[in-house]
Structures are given as structure tokens and as C-alpha cells.
Amino acid sequence: MAKFSVRVSTGEAIGAGTWNKIAISIVGTRGETTPLRLDHAGKEFSAGAVEDFQLEFPQDVGAVLLLRVHKAPLLLPVPVGFVARDAWFCRWFQLTPPRGAPLRFPCYQWLEGAGSLALRAGAAKVSRADDHPILRQQRQEELQARQDSYHWKTYSPGWPHCLDEKSVKDLDLNIKYSVMKNSCFYLKVNSAFMELKLKGLLDRKGPWKSLNEMRRMLNFHKTPAAEYVFKHWQEDAFFASQFLNGLNPVLIRRCRHLPENFPVTDDMVAPVLGPGTSLQAELERGSLFLVDHGILSGIRTNVVNGRPQFSAAPMTLLFQRPGGGPLLPLAIQLSQTPGPDSPIFLPSDNKWDWLLAKMWVRNAEFSVHEAVTHLLHAHLLPEVFTLATLRQLPHCHPLFKLLIPHTRYTLHINTLARELLIAPGQVVDRSTGIGVGGFSELIQRNMEQLSYSVLCLPEDIRARGVEDIPNYYYRDDGLQIWGAVESFVSEIINIYYPSDVSVHDDHELQAWVWEIFSEGFLGRESSGVPSTLETREALVQYVTMVIFNCSAKHYAVSAGQFDSCVWMPNLPPTMQLPPPTSKGQTRPEGFLATLPPVNATCDIIIALWILSKEPGDQRPLGTYPEEHFTEEAPQQSITAFQSRLAQISKDIRERNQRLSLPYTYLDPPLIENSVSI
């Protein structure tokens, strides 16, 4: 007889326990035991329980290779409600053999219905490290099972491919929101709709009566940042600062040569530049910056409340005064085609002309941010990383263990978005100026020009020439976090990959990279996105890119949405009148008539309020309560990563104390590990 001590840990989430029968068998080098049930007097496997069992197997199967878990319905009657909810969330097993040290078998999975699951001891292994045919077979069977469960589909032509499921109801429990998170999410949604409905705003299709009436929205849910926006939204310095530290801080780039289709002259900008300088001098000095929303040129527009909506493709020239001071706007052109019908607006123009021009730029920011920066870069691409990880990397692979915390709930929120946000007739169609059709066009256009460097923050900063522009906190904090992630990833990679050859020879890794390239970037070689990885250095950069975009980048472009939009003139989702074709015509009443209608305003503000903050069940960056890694070396690397993130947070909070508008969108304790909202 072979005696084993078995310890089992059940998750703490609502519904994690089970009334089902749980048995285990041990697969060893000399065979497999018969299944033995884990059974005590009374109920086992309650939520949060850690339980010990003593088992005697009739034969010695040699060195342990696998632990097989068997789950079957309980034949005896159980309380009403438990039969349907028979899933079990197993955290881990610990097996102590008659001789030798305990073996930890990480699970961290939901087991639904009847069936068996093979678990491996916790040490991470690439495929070349498995020298036993049973272990190699287990890897293949696990991946085949996951590929049978998770399929790709084309949601819209030219978009990255996504999970082939129509509704979150169809998702398996391992990728679904927890009961708590789901409940908090819908409670938040319902309370927001009810509040604005009771105020009589949600169903009002007409225009706002005045800017003063819009202040009612500030009582919806106040934040210090939203109140700052309301107080300063008309100021040129705040308008410009949002290109650095607002919700879309990724478009601004240094301007060394004025575009031919943006004919700004010295006379136009002299009042801001001041005496003793010129446009050419400032271009050479490197103090001019450009934000070009040209991707919007000719985009299809939407119909809201039966009225056609309008869009613009503006170009904005900005000036950084030598020696410091705020970034300031110099000139705005609302189209990509200069001429008599496309004047260049200036800070010296009539107040309402200039304010309206800036508002058109902010509307362009809304469209490009929501379709490209947020939906495409921070949701659809992380979904590609998530789905490829599930389909191509087994649980025991070190990259699976490293990446799986950064994929949590991503498939759920994206499936939900396809149901409730970007489906025909839903929020984007009801209430934005370009609608689902315009969103789709923008994503297609950006996919055709998207490059790998855009996804790698240090390269993106260099490519845009914004390494030294002052007060660019997105850059400063982002580079600190990128560095911390890169150092962490490098340590993990070096533990499991002793050489470049070991990277090249890992066929599971190469399949993962190829699937991301082909399904996510549609096999477009001009993107520069790797289709294979040949060196440890390339692997470190690639995995850092994945983790950064699934965590910090998403939070940076998501968390500020409500702050920026609740005072709607700062981020109008649609425009009801066409862009002005001449100067001197704008009046307060025309400015107001251009703004979105009341119901569209409310629709968008509710959506962005929900998407700006996690509804519960949070996991901050670097928090890994599920211990997929069991070896000492990666655990030490995790501790060092957490320590570095804590120091970054400390530095950010000390800096923010000196700022009138603190930049909090890359503070590590606030960043979610994954795209989960």
C-alpha cells in the first residue's frame, strides 16, 4: 500500500464550493492508481475551505507525473438550488508521498459538471523539458481541449479576430465575471440609468437649453478631476495639456516641418510666439508639436434622433515656450484640405470661434480615442493576446503562468461590449457622431497603418519625438512601469530560457506568437509585429509589450473617460451642425446648437462612467493571489516586481501633491492587472 496525504484548497468566490463527489488518481512512471474519493463525514469543498485527507492506494506507481481529478454528481438528495450550481473552483492540491517532499499542483480553474482534469506539479516547464511521453501527451491533450473550446471568428472585416461567442451567457466559468463582479456591474448600470431617468434627462431628445443646464450632469457623480475640467475647460493651457495627460495621450508628436496642407504663417501665430522668433526658428528649435486627426477625413457619420451628425478631421499646432511654461495651442484647421472654406482658427480670433474650433478638436479626440486608442489598442488586441494564450500555451508553460493573470475577464468584457456597446442599435450607434459604421472604418484604417513600435512605449515615445517635452506624466509614469515590467519579465525569461536557441526551439511559444500575428494583426508583415521570436531579448520585449498593453496602457486610456466627459463640452461625442467654414459667424446659441442632444449626452456619460472604474473584484498590477509559480526563483522575482511598483507609486503620489490636477491614471495600485472593464 502507498499512503499519501492530500490537501485541497477551494476558492473563496461565491459559488466556488460544490456538493459533487471529488476523487483523485495518481499517474506515475509505473502506471496509474484507481480513483479514490476524497470524503469526510459531512460536507467537503465549501468555499474557502482547505481540507486534509489521508489516502491509501493499493499500488506504488513510481515517481508522480500527474494528479488526475475526477468530479461526479452526488447521487443523494442535496438542498434545492445546489444541483444546478455544481461547478467547483479548485485552487490547488498538495500531495505528500510516502517518501519525499510535498508536491503542489496548481489548478485555479472551475470544474463544471462531470469529468476529469489532469494537473501537473507546479514547476513551470517548456516543452523541451518534458522528457516523459505521458507528460508530452498531457500537454498536447490539454491544448487540443482548449482549442476545441475557444475558437476565433471575424466580427468585422479588417478588425482583429476575436472569440467566437455571441453572448456572455455562453462563456464558460473560467473566463466569466465572478458572481460578485457581475452583480456590482449591473447594479452600477441600473443605478446610473435610474438616476438620469428620474431627472428627466435620459429620454429627452432635444438640445440643451444652456451651458448652465449642463451643470446638472456634474451632480451625477462628482470627482475632483471632473470638477477641475469644468473650471478650466475653456483655457488654452488646459486644452493643450490634455494631449499630454488626458484620456488620449498618444497622438502628440514633435513637428519639424509644417505639413503642406496646414499653411500656418508667422503673422497668424506671432501673438503667441512673441517677438524675436518665427515659425521656422521654433520648428528648428523643436518647440512645436502637432496633433493630426487626419484618420477621420471622410469618415462616415451617424444619424442620432433622426438628425444627421457631423465630424471633422482637424490639425492642431502646439507651442512649448523655451524655458518652461504651459504647452499652448497656436492654430487649428478643421479639415485636411486648406482653402477659403477651411480657415485656420487662432487664439486671437473671436472667443466663440476659437472655443468652437477647440470643441471640434475635442470631438475628434472622442472618436479617435474611443474607436482606436481604447477599443482597438486597449481591448481588441488584448483579447487577441488572451485567446492565443489560452489556445497555444499549456498551464505548465512559464509564459502561461506569467501571462494568465493579465488576461483575467478580458474575454467577458469584450463579449459584453459586442453585445451592449458596439452592436447595431446600441450605445455607439445611438449616441456618437460616427456610429458603429464610423468606428468600424476607423479601426480598419488604423489596422492598415498600425506598427509594432506604437505598442512598445519606449519606441513610441522616441518615434513621436516627445522624450523631453515637460509635464508629460503619461510618458514619465508609463516608462517607469514599462521598465519595472521589463525587468520582471527578463528575470522570468532567463530562468526558463538559457539561450536564444531555447527560444527558437520552443514550438509552443512560436505557435503563440504566430497566432497573434495571423489572427490579431491579420498576417500584415508591414506592421513589424513579429511572426516568430528568435532571441531572449526579442521575447522579453514582446512579453513586456503584452503585459503593459493589457494593464497599464488600458488603465491610462480608460480610467479618465468619465473625468473628461461628464462636463460634456470638453469631450462631445457628436456634433449636430457642420464645422464652420468661415470666421466671425459663431454665436453662443450656435455653439450650443452644435453640441450633442440631452439623451445622447446621458447615454455616453453613463457608458463612460461604467467603463472608467472597476465594479469590484479587483486585482492591482503585480498582485498575484493565484500562485501559478511554485518555485522560489520566480516568486522572488514577483516580490521584487511588487517592491519596484510600490516605489513608483510612492514617487507618483509625492509628485501629485505639487500638481493642481494630479495625474493618477498610471499609479500602480490603481491599475488593474488585466482588461476587465
Side-chain angles (χ1 to χ4, degrees):
M1 301 292 286
K3 296 183 179 180
F4 285 82
S5 297
V6 180
R7 175 168 289 182
V8 190
S9 176
T10 296
E12 297 179 351
I14 297 171
T18 184
W19 287 82
N20 280 188
K21 296 184 293 184
I22 305 297
I24 65 168
S25 55
I26 298 173
V27 181
T29 53
R30 297 203 296 267
E32 180 173 354
T33 68
T34 55
L36 289 183
R37 185 177 171 188
L38 303 179
D39 190 19
H40 286 147
K43 184 180 183 301
E44 299 86 19
F45 314 115
S46 298
V50 177
E51 297 163 287
D52 291 302
F53 302 87
Q54 301 297 320
L55 298 182
E56 290 189 1
F57 292 96
Q59 74 268 40
D60 182 356
V61 293
V64 176
L65 297 175
L66 301 172
L67 179 70
R68 210 178 297 280
V69 184
H70 309 275
K71 182 171 176 286
L74 188 66
L75 298 179
L76 298 174
V78 294
V80 175
F82 283 88
V83 174
R85 183 74 179 174
D86 69 343
W88 177 43
F89 187 84
C90 173
R91 298 182 69 240
W92 46 260
F93 279 81
Q94 183 167 293
L95 191 67
T96 304
R99 295 172 300 280
L103 298 172
R104 178 65 67 92
F105 293 80
C107 182
Y108 302 109
Q109 296 179 66
W110 287 96
L111 284 72
E112 293 189 83
S116 298
L117 177 69
L119 300 179
R120 298 174 58 129
K125 287 185 178 181
V126 296
S127 57
R128 61 178 165 76
D130 274 345
D131 54 3
H132 198 284
I134 289 178
L135 295 177
R136 291 196 292 270
Q137 181 182 356
Q138 185 273 330
R139 295 180 89 101
Q140 295 169 3
E141 290 175 349
E142 179 187 339
L143 288 180
Q144 187 60 57
R146 287 216 236 118
Q147 289 165 15
D148 290 342
S149 296
Y150 303 117
H151 300 274
W152 296 98
K153 74 174 179 182
T154 299
Y155 179 75
S156 185
W159 288 33
H161 298 162
C162 63
L163 177 67
D164 186 12
E165 294 288 3
K166 291 183 178 180
S167 167
V168 292
K169 295 177 182 177
D170 302 323
L171 303 181
D172 75 62
L173 285 177
N174 285 303
I175 58 175
K176 253 184 180 178
Y177 274 1
S178 66
V179 173
M180 185 189 82
K181 193 177 189 78
N182 202 56
S183 300
C184 290
F185 177 86
Y186 283 104
L187 182 64
K188 191 175 181 182
V189 170
N190 292 335
S191 67
F193 272 96
M194 186 60 66
E195 181 176 344
L196 292 181
K197 200 169 186 68
L198 290 174
K199 288 181 177 179
L201 299 175
L202 193 59
D203 299 321
R204 210 176 102 192
K205 296 183 177 181
W208 291 95
K209 297 174 184 176
S210 66
L211 287 174
N212 193 52
E213 186 193 25
M214 286 181 206
R215 295 180 63 178
R216 295 176 65 188
M217 295 306 300
L218 291 172
N219 298 323
F220 173 59
H221 284 281
K222 287 186 178 181
T223 69
E227 292 183 346
Y228 186 95
V229 169
F230 169 70
K231 291 177 183 176
H232 299 276
W233 71 284
Q234 297 188 48
E235 298 171 9
D236 285 359
F238 177 65
F239 168 81
S241 74
Q242 292 186 87
F243 294 121
L244 298 174
N245 303 311
L247 82 167
N248 195 32
V250 297
L251 293 187
I252 185 170
R253 59 178 59 242
R254 195 179 300 272
C255 182
R256 295 291 186 181
H257 305 280
L258 276 177
E260 292 183 1
N261 60 337
F262 195 12
V264 182
T265 66
D266 284 323
D267 289 342
M268 291 178 181
V269 296
V272 178
L273 291 185
T277 189
S278 66
L279 274 173
Q280 187 58 38
E282 297 303 331
L283 286 167
E284 293 174 2
R285 187 179 288 125
S287 59
L288 298 185
F289 298 85
L290 182 68
V291 177
D292 188 351
H293 291 95
I295 194 172
L296 285 163
S297 187
I299 205 76
R300 75 175 78 175
T301 52
N302 196 20
V303 174
V304 174
N305 297 337
R307 290 186 55 180
Q309 305 297 293
F310 299 89
S311 181
M315 308 172 79
T316 305
L317 190 64
L318 303 147
F319 172 54
Q320 177 65 57
R321 197 178 303 279
L327 186 69
L328 294 171
L330 279 179
I332 295 171
Q333 181 177 285
L334 296 181
S335 80
Q336 298 288 305
T337 307
D341 293 336
S342 183
I344 294 176
F345 292 91
L346 307 166
S348 54
D349 288 341
N350 166 282
K351 169 190 172 181
W352 290 103
D353 279 350
W354 180 236
L355 193 60
L356 182 61
K358 289 192 293 183
M359 193 170 70
W360 272 104
V361 173
R362 295 300 298 162
N363 168 251
E365 276 283 87
F366 175 91
S367 297
V368 172
H369 169 268
E370 293 301 342
V372 175
T373 310
H374 186 215
L375 177 56
L376 173 56
H377 294 182
H379 276 269
L380 301 184
L381 294 182
E383 178 171 5
V384 171
F385 304 146
T386 297
L387 194 48
T389 298
L390 289 173
R391 285 173 47 86
Q392 299 299 341
L393 298 176
H395 272 82
C396 63
H397 198 288
L399 290 182
F400 182 92
K401 292 173 180 283
L402 178 60
L403 292 171
I404 196 64
H406 303 287
T407 68
R408 184 172 181 254
Y409 297 149
T410 300
L411 297 178
H412 183 110
I413 187 58
N414 281 12
T415 303
L416 195 63
R418 287 187 282 272
E419 284 187 80
L420 302 181
L421 288 178
I422 59 175
Q426 297 297 336
V427 174
V428 168
D429 239 10
R430 289 197 305 260
S431 303
T432 70
I434 61 174
V436 169
F439 267 52
S440 186
E441 277 189 31
L442 280 185
I443 289 173
Q444 290 167 6
R445 291 179 184 187
N446 190 257
M447 282 289 290
E448 291 170 0
Q449 64 190 45
L450 181 61
S451 68
Y452 186 42
S453 63
V454 168
L455 304 176
C456 298
L457 182 64
E459 291 186 15
D460 180 52
I461 295 296
R462 287 192 295 270
R464 292 190 284 117
V466 289
E467 303 97 319
D468 57 358
I469 186 171
N471 306 316
Y472 193 6
Y473 307 123
Y474 166 76
R475 172 202 61 207
D476 297 341
D477 300 350
L479 288 175
Q480 286 288 312
I481 293 171
W482 178 280
V485 174
E486 185 178 50
S487 178
F488 171 49
V489 169
S490 180
E491 290 181 15
I492 298 296
I493 296 303
N494 287 333
I495 292 170
Y496 299 102
Y497 292 92
S499 65
D500 291 345
V501 172
S502 64
V503 172
H504 174 273
D505 291 347
D506 185 349
H507 63 90
E508 291 168 343
L509 159 65
Q510 300 300 344
W512 174 68
V513 174
W514 171 258
E515 187 152 281
I516 291 171
F517 173 72
S518 58
E519 301 287 352
F521 297 91
L522 308 182
R524 194 171 61 83
E525 293 183 1
S526 60
S527 67
V529 174
S531 58
T532 62
L533 294 173
E534 302 298 324
T535 66
R536 291 193 295 180
E537 182 182 7
L539 177 57
V540 168
Q541 182 188 33
Y542 193 88
V543 174
T544 301
M545 177 275 295
V546 170
I547 293 176
F548 183 85
N549 282 279
C550 289
S551 56
K553 175 72 173 291
H554 172 258
Y555 191 78
V557 303
S558 178
Q561 292 177 102
F562 178 76
D563 294 338
S564 296
C565 84
V566 68
W567 176 244
M568 181 268 291
N570 184 62
L571 197 71
T574 186
M575 303 290 256
Q576 300 203 89
L577 295 178
T581 56
S582 61
K583 295 188 182 185
Q585 305 301 311
T586 309
R587 301 289 183 269
E589 56 273 19
F591 180 90
L592 199 64
T594 306
L595 291 170
V598 177
N599 63 333
T601 301
C602 295
D603 210 15
I604 293 299
I605 286 176
I606 289 172
L608 297 190
W609 177 60
I610 292 164
L611 296 176
S612 293
K613 186 174 175 57
E614 292 290 336
D617 194 7
Q618 294 170 264
R619 298 267 177 92
L621 180 61
T623 303
Y624 304 120
E626 296 177 350
E627 296 179 352
H628 290 278
F629 285 109
T630 60
E631 309 99 301
E632 183 177 352
Q635 289 179 346
Q636 288 177 345
S637 295
I638 289 172
T639 300
F641 180 43
Q642 293 169 338
S643 178
R644 187 165 180 184
L645 290 175
Q647 183 60 51
I648 292 171
S649 177
K650 181 174 180 289
D651 294 344
I652 288 173
R653 295 184 181 200
E654 287 178 357
R655 178 205 64 208
N656 282 347
Q657 291 178 357
R658 305 188 298 270
L659 302 179
S660 55
L661 178 60
Y663 184 73
T664 61
Y665 303 137
L666 280 174
D667 188 1
L670 304 180
I671 298 169
E672 187 73 9
N673 251 340
S674 60
V675 178
S676 58
I677 187 61

